[in-house]
Structure formats: structure tokens, C-alpha cells
Amino acid sequence: MRPVDHSAPPGQERRRGRRPGGQQTRDALLAAARAEFAEVGFDQARVRSIAAAAGVDPAMVNHWFGGKDGLFLAAMDIPFDPAVVLARVLDGGLEETGERIVRTFLTVWDATGGGPFVALLRSVANHETAARMIREFVSEVLIGRIAAAVSTDQHRLRAALCGSQVVGLGMARYVIRLEPIASAEVDTLVAAIGPTLQRYLTGPLA
Amino acid sequence: MRPVDHSAPPGQERRRGRRPGGQQTRDALLAAARAEFAEVGFDQARVRSIAAAAGVDPAMVNHWFGGKDGLFLAAMDIPFDPAVVLARVLDGGLEETGERIVRTFLTVWDATGGGPFVALLRSVANHETAARMIREFVSEVLIGRIAAAVSTDQHRLRAALCGSQVVGLGMARYVIRLEPIASAEVDTLVAAIGPTLQRYLTGPLA
């Protein structure tokens, strides 16, 4: 019962001068993904079933999006892969990780002008399904990775605390545009907020 | 912390059998206030002009809402007066203020079930005018008071940093409902996040 790919033979999309059929496949996958993520959440969504709904081969998900995470990020219009960014941040060891997280977060979102952060927040605020998707993605992919990198107790609480400060920073800088945070130099915010995340990750919590 | 009942004038919450005429005045003021706050922001909105648009005497604003701040909070459906709550928190002096802010924030919003926080965030995310109103209200009323209570340097940055962590906590607990923050005991979060706010208020920032 494997759905047939009517758009283009696999491999053909990699050529230059991509045929409209490839773009159609991608768009059909995005539409099917948004529907499936909204209906069953990030956890339960299955690449196979999204591809079936889009009427394309499941291999097309890897081809276009590199897998379920990438498909999710594209469906949510998130302009970079937080897991990749996070892996880079955590790679340097846990010393000064707090500062690196703040600097990377600001650098990545500042580069977008903040608009996509506002759009993401709007989805989360308006749709319980979007809130659920983000919750599951953050829990599984991001919190999971931070927690795995932290050797202290209460891994998941520590990672979630970091998440809360980082989301609040994004709210203040990009959404509410609260001064002086909105216009502050990255270095100022790194110095002020980095130690907070560092304590959340490796310091005493009580 | 008892949520304020905005449906009755201050001091009259307990009276039964409210007159319909009064309710009409109140509703007209709320509608006019929403329009004026949306058009010119919290800063520039004038009680006199809102009352004129509602076709009622400006004294009715004090009668029903206790003034411009209260009218704004009612127009935004914020179920308590953050300035009053904050004054109580700051009254105790700056020692352990961080913990008191976290405890009070959680107590006040937990009592509402979190729904009004989600609604507030939705307004802010969807309407630049709402974001602007909240920005001005937070800057003038809340940040102003915290900054005035803090004798250290960089008052406004310190207050805004507190705001960013508190907003992020609300996002994690009520909107994204990120575990383990969503279900954590208040004491756990007070112990973990209180020291962050304390450092933002009185500690070294760089």
C-alpha cells in the first residue's frame, strides 16, 4: 500500500532547474505535516502517514527535510534547526555554556529581525495544537539534549529553567520590545543573563 | 492573593443587585478605552478623552476603575492590579525580593488557572497595539516602580531582566506548559528562580 510518487523520480529533484513537480511534492508534504502535527502532535506524528496523506513516497521527507525534525521546523516556519545550533553550543563543554546559549540565541534570532519569533509565538498563543507541538518538540529534542549534557541532578528541570529564561528574553526583545532589553548590545545581555543559565545548568537550585 | 473583580467599582465588589445603568456606563468606558489605548497607546491615552468618547463624566473612570491604570487592566482583562501586587512585594525591602516576586507571580496567576495569562499573551502576540500598550504599561508602571526601589546601577535594565524571566516562567508554566515547570510546586520554582531575580535586582550584572 505504498503511495506512488507521481511528482518526480527520486534523485531528479537534486538536479538544477528543479521541476515544478518537486516543489509541489514539498508543498504537499508541508500541508500534510501541518495537518498531522496539529491533529496528533509532534510525538505521535509519523513520517509514513504524512507522506501517505501527501500522496508521495516517505523517502521524500528525508530528501526535502532531512527527517521528521526538519519537516516540523519547516512546517512551523522556524528559520534554523535549534537541535543543530544547540549541539554546537553544547559541544564546547559545560563551562560558559550559559553565555554561549544566550549569545547564540540572540545572534540567530537577531539575524531574522525577530519577525519569525513573533510569528512562532503567535502560533503558540493562538492554537493549543501549536503549543502542544512546540511543547513536545522542546521536551523531546531540546530539553532532552540539554538534560543529557548536564551531569547534575534534576536534569529536566534545569533544562526547562533555561528554556523559560530564553523564551522570556525573546519575548522582551522581539515581541514586547521592552527597553532597554530590546536595543541592548548582545554582549550586555550575555553578561547579564549568561550566569543565570549557567546556574540553572550546573549550580545549586535550592 | 485574591483576583480583583473588575465587574464592580472598587470597594463595591460585595454589593448585590447592581444597577443596569451603571453597568452600561462601565461597558461604554471599557469599549472607549480599548479603542483609545489601541489607537494612541497607554502613554498617550487620556481619561478625559475616553470618558468623552463613552459619553460619560470622567469621574466615572475613578468610580468604576480607580483611574487610568485600573481602566487599562480591565480593558486588557488582567485579573489583578500588578502595581498593587508589586507594591506589596517591594514593601518588604530588597532582601529576598527575588523569591517574593516569583512566589507572588505564581500565586496570582495559578489562582486564575492560567487562562488569563494565555489570553493576555494572545493579545500581545496578535496585535502590535496590544504589545505597545503592555510595553508602555510595563515600562511606566512596573519597571518604573522596581527601578525606583533598586538603589544599584542600571535600574531599568535590572527591572527589565526580572520581567524577562518572569514572562518566560509564565510562558513555560501556562502557555507551552513545559514539564517539569508546568506541574512544579511553587516552592521548587521559588527556590530555583528567586535567586535569579535577586541577582538581577541587587547583584553584579557583568
Side-chain angles (χ1 to χ4, degrees):
Chain A
M1 272 232 350
R2 237 164 72 126
V4 179
D5 176 13
H6 292 295
S7 57
Q12 192 151 331
E13 288 86 349
R14 283 190 201 95
R15 284 185 200 161
R16 290 181 184 264
R18 190 183 295 139
R19 289 167 39 205
Q23 190 61 44
Q24 278 169 19
T25 299
R26 188 177 179 281
D27 292 346
L29 278 170
L30 279 178
R34 290 193 181 104
E36 171 124 347
F37 285 131
E39 197 184 339
V40 304
F42 177 79
D43 274 359
Q44 301 294 321
R46 293 287 166 264
V47 162
R48 184 167 299 274
S49 120
I50 292 170
V56 306
D57 192 282
M60 287 296 102
V61 171
N62 281 327
H63 172 70
W64 281 101
F65 303 102
K68 180 175 158 184
D69 289 5
L71 179 57
F72 174 76
L73 295 171
M76 296 295 287
D77 287 322
I78 297 175
F80 55 87
D81 187 339
V84 170
V85 172
L86 187 63
R88 217 174 301 152
V89 169
L90 293 174
D91 254 3
L94 279 182
E95 273 173 62
E96 296 176 17
T97 300
E99 296 200 355
R100 282 208 304 280
I101 291 176
V102 178
R103 186 178 302 283
T104 305
F105 177 84
L106 290 172
T107 307
V108 165
W109 287 108
D110 277 6
T112 71
F117 189 90
V118 176
L120 177 62
L121 190 84
R122 191 169 290 163
S123 300
V124 168
N126 288 329
H127 308 292
E128 166 50 26
T129 51
R132 176 183 170 194
M133 288 189 272
I134 291 290
R135 172 168 67 245
E136 292 178 357
F137 180 81
V138 170
S139 289
E140 274 192 29
V141 179
L142 302 186
I143 302 274
R145 278 169 211 223
I146 295 180
V150 175
S151 58
T152 37
D153 59 329
Q154 297 180 279
H155 303 194
R156 293 191 72 83
L157 176 59
R158 290 173 179 280
L161 288 167
C162 288
S164 78
Q165 173 60 87
V166 160
V167 165
L169 171 59
M171 285 286 299
R173 189 166 174 94
Y174 305 117
V175 184
I176 308 177
R177 297 208 303 278
L178 184 65
E179 294 297 356
I181 287 182
S183 320
E185 296 291 331
V186 168
D187 283 345
T188 303
L189 298 173
V190 166
I193 300 176
T196 297
L197 300 197
Q198 194 63 40
R199 183 174 70 83
Y200 287 160
L201 289 172
T202 59
L205 282 192
Chain B
M1 196 76 40
R2 200 168 59 92
V4 173
D5 177 9
H6 287 300
S7 66
Q12 289 188 19
E13 288 92 342
R14 287 186 197 94
R15 216 179 269 178
R16 286 166 196 267
R18 192 181 297 140
R19 285 169 40 210
Q23 190 62 44
Q24 278 169 19
T25 298
R26 186 180 177 278
D27 292 347
L29 278 170
L30 278 179
R34 290 194 180 102
E36 171 123 347
F37 285 131
E39 199 184 336
V40 304
F42 176 79
D43 274 358
Q44 301 295 321
R46 293 288 165 263
V47 163
R48 185 167 299 274
S49 120
I50 292 170
V56 306
D57 191 284
M60 287 296 104
V61 171
N62 280 328
H63 173 69
W64 281 101
F65 304 102
K68 180 174 157 185
D69 289 6
L71 179 58
F72 174 77
L73 296 169
M76 297 296 287
D77 286 322
I78 297 175
F80 54 86
D81 186 338
V84 171
V85 171
L86 188 62
R88 217 173 301 153
V89 169
L90 294 174
D91 254 3
L94 280 181
E95 272 172 63
E96 295 175 18
T97 300
E99 295 198 356
R100 282 208 304 280
I101 291 177
V102 178
R103 185 177 303 282
T104 304
F105 177 84
L106 291 171
T107 307
V108 165
W109 287 107
D110 277 7
T112 70
F117 190 91
V118 176
L120 178 63
L121 190 83
R122 190 169 293 162
S123 299
V124 169
N126 288 329
H127 309 292
E128 165 51 26
T129 52
R132 177 184 169 193
M133 287 188 272
I134 291 290
R135 173 168 66 245
E136 293 179 355
F137 181 80
V138 169
S139 289
E140 274 192 29
V141 180
L142 303 186
I143 303 272
R145 277 168 213 226
I146 296 179
V150 174
S151 58
T152 37
D153 59 329
Q154 297 182 280
H155 302 193
R156 294 191 71 84
L157 176 60
R158 290 173 180 280
L161 288 166
C162 287
S164 78
Q165 173 61 87
V166 160
V167 165
L169 171 60
M171 284 286 301
R173 189 165 175 96
Y174 306 118
V175 184
I176 307 177
R177 297 208 302 277
L178 184 65
E179 293 297 355
I181 286 181
S183 319
E185 296 291 333
V186 168
D187 284 345
T188 304
L189 297 174
V190 167
I193 300 176
T196 297
L197 299 197
Q198 194 64 41
R199 183 174 71 81
Y200 287 161
L201 288 173
T202 59
L205 282 191

